[in-house]
Amino acid sequence: MASMAGKVAIVTGASSGIGRATAIAFGRAGATVVVVARRPDKGEETVQQIKAAQGKAMFIQADVTQASDLEAMVKQTVETYGRLDYAFNNAGSGTSGKLADLSEADWDFEINANLKSVWLSMKYEIPAMQQSGGGAIVNTSSQGALLGVAGYGAYGAAKAGVIALSRAAAAEYSSDRIRINTVSPGAVKTDLWAAAPPEMLDQVAAGIPLQRIGRPEDIAEAVVWLCSEGAGFVTGHNLVVDGGFTAVQK
């Protein structure tokens, strides 16, 4: 993979899990990384890990459901580094519940956290990339956008919306040399799995063709590749990284 030296990447939801692993991967590839999260302590931990690996990074606190925070995020990035080349819009949240049991507030939370946040992020990132002469954006969708998962209907709907939104954006901004793709992780061993009993993890892994649960680094490598020149002819694509789980579903 070609070096990303001299490039600038924003990663939202970078305080842990997939976001943190991707921020670190961008740093190792040579990019300067803007670590974005709600939790300053965890976000600064990510910055320190990037710097420990000889990378460059800074932290910006932001709530991705707030337009003013995202506008400020991009403004501060460009003011500090002069450009924006890559963005991984990863921050989101998932709650469970059958559709008829959800409150309107529950529904709005899912859409705001997982879909509106992606639109808002791109709304401010795209003009900055136009000024930089192009760029690449990866938005986080989910295996749940492709499968019917009981109890996660609102989440799945939002994540499916991310795929449709990203494809439309890819069509709209290809002439500006901005490539826009999505990544759909399957089961990945993040903090959410930390308290799960080993037998549960074994059961989940047994249902995956590659016979293991994913690592945050598996998703990180996919995202960095999608932003790299190696994926220079890839746009409007949803890359499923799930160990083959969706491929074998009937």
Side-chain angles (χ1 to χ4, degrees):
M1 185 182 297
S3 171
M4 291 180 167
K7 305 295 188 180
V8 178
I10 284 176
V11 179
T12 69
S15 58
S16 64
I18 292 169
R20 173 175 283 181
T22 305
I24 292 170
F26 270 123
R28 286 178 176 160
T32 297
V33 187
V34 179
V35 172
V36 181
R38 290 179 299 172
R39 300 176 292 175
D41 55 338
K42 295 297 184 180
E44 290 291 355
E45 283 181 10
T46 302
V47 169
Q48 292 308 313
Q49 289 184 33
I50 294 168
K51 290 182 176 179
Q54 309 305 311
K56 299 177 181 178
M58 75 170 181
F59 172 72
I60 295 177
Q61 185 177 18
D63 179 342
V64 296
T65 66
Q66 301 300 312
S68 58
D69 281 14
L70 294 173
E71 183 178 20
M73 170 189 77
V74 173
K75 182 179 180 182
Q76 185 176 346
T77 297
V78 174
E79 287 179 348
T80 303
Y81 298 117
R83 61 187 300 115
L84 176 62
D85 302 281
Y86 314 124
F88 179 38
N89 298 317
N90 169 69
S93 182
T95 58
S96 60
K98 291 185 176 180
L99 290 177
D101 297 331
L102 296 176
S103 67
E104 186 174 357
D106 292 333
W107 174 267
D108 288 345
F109 173 81
E110 289 295 332
I111 300 302
N112 289 338
N114 295 299
L115 178 56
K116 183 180 178 181
S117 64
V118 172
W119 165 64
L120 283 173
S121 296
M122 291 197 294
K123 175 178 174 64
Y124 298 109
E125 292 160 354
I126 286 170
M129 290 183 180
Q130 289 172 320
Q131 292 298 315
S132 299
I137 296 172
V138 178
N139 298 317
T140 299
S141 182
S142 171
Q143 175 182 277
L146 309 174
L147 301 170
V149 183
Y152 285 87
Y155 175 81
K159 289 299 190 178
V162 169
I163 296 173
L165 177 67
S166 300
R167 285 174 173 163
E172 290 175 355
Y173 295 101
S174 58
S175 62
D176 292 307
R177 300 176 59 84
I178 299 173
R179 296 185 299 103
I180 301 171
N181 295 287
T182 56
V183 63
S184 287
V188 177
K189 197 170 184 180
T190 61
D191 292 346
L192 293 175
W193 290 89
E199 57 270 22
M200 178 181 176
L201 298 179
D202 291 343
Q203 183 179 9
V204 172
I208 298 172
L210 291 183
Q211 296 290 292
R212 69 174 176 86
I213 293 175
R215 300 180 297 263
E217 291 77 14
D218 293 321
I219 313 305
E221 292 299 327
V223 172
V224 173
W225 177 76
L226 282 170
C227 289
S228 74
E229 286 304 313
F233 202 52
V234 180
T235 194
H237 179 65
N238 177 44
L239 178 58
V240 182
V241 188
D242 69 349
F245 185 81
T246 56
V248 300
Q249 297 307 296
K250 297 180 180 180

